[in-house]
Amino acid sequence: LINSSTGLESLFYKKPVIVFSSVLYDVVSIVKKIEKIEDLPKMIKNSIYNFNFNDDEFSHLIESIQKHHLVVPYWDMMKDFVVLTSINIHSGQKKFDIEFDNLLRKYDLEFKKIANYYQNQMIFFYDQ
């Protein structure tokens, strides 16, 4: 996988997963991350013949995701800000400023949710 949730979904079916970049779930040993493309054939063979699914490890991963997840319309936000960049390039600063303010208002609740989450995580981290 290049980078998606398909690997995480595969783990629900106890299938081996090989990723090519950092993903949320590559912290567990049942997910293999390619560092050098030359290692891919060996890793595929190893995944086919030597894969041992670890139920406990997978359960801990899912519990952690459930405990720490934050739901925001990430892709919608990204798409809107890519369009905003295009507006800046093609329509000038004045139009950009107007559209930027519109997006800040549109995603105000999401930005507050992200800030709140981050602040709470930092407080938790520093209080230990």
Side-chain angles (χ1 to χ4, degrees), residues 3-104:
N3 195 344
S4 71
S5 62
T6 305
L8 183 59
E9 295 166 21
S10 299
L11 291 175
F12 280 96
Y13 295 98
K14 300 183 177 187
K15 301 296 180 191
V17 174
I18 299 172
V19 296
F20 291 90
S21 65
S22 295
V23 292
L24 169 72
Y25 49 89
D26 69 5
V27 296
V28 293
S29 68
I30 52 179
V31 173
K32 302 300 179 194
K33 182 177 172 187
I34 290 289
E35 299 296 331
K36 296 185 293 185
I37 196 68
E38 299 83 26
D39 296 337
L40 183 58
K42 182 179 177 184
M43 196 170 287
I44 290 171
K45 185 177 178 180
N46 199 25
S47 293
I48 291 171
Y49 295 109
N50 300 319
F51 179 69
N52 292 313
F53 188 82
N54 185 321
D55 288 308
D56 289 336
E57 191 176 30
F58 181 66
S59 293
H60 292 304
L61 173 66
I62 297 305
E63 286 174 27
S64 179
I65 290 171
Q66 288 173 332
K67 183 178 179 183
H68 298 289
H69 78 285
L70 177 64
V71 179
V72 294
Y74 177 78
W75 292 113
D76 290 336
M77 293 169 73
M78 291 300 296
K79 183 176 79 174
D80 284 346
F81 280 96
V82 166
V83 170
L84 181 65
T85 301
S86 178
I87 289 170
N88 188 34
I89 293 168
H90 300 290
S91 301
Q93 190 67 41
K94 187 173 182 176
K95 175 79 170 161
F96 172 83
D97 290 344
I98 292 167
E99 293 303 319
F100 184 79
D101 288 341
N102 289 340
L103 286 181
L104 287 180

Side-chain angles (χ1 to χ4, degrees), residues 112-127:
K112 286 178 180 172
K113 197 187 303 185
I114 293 166
N116 244 355
Y117 181 82
Y118 178 76
Q119 183 179 19
N120 290 336
Q121 293 302 309
M122 294 306 291
I123 289 169
F124 173 78
F125 179 76
Y126 288 122
D127 282 348

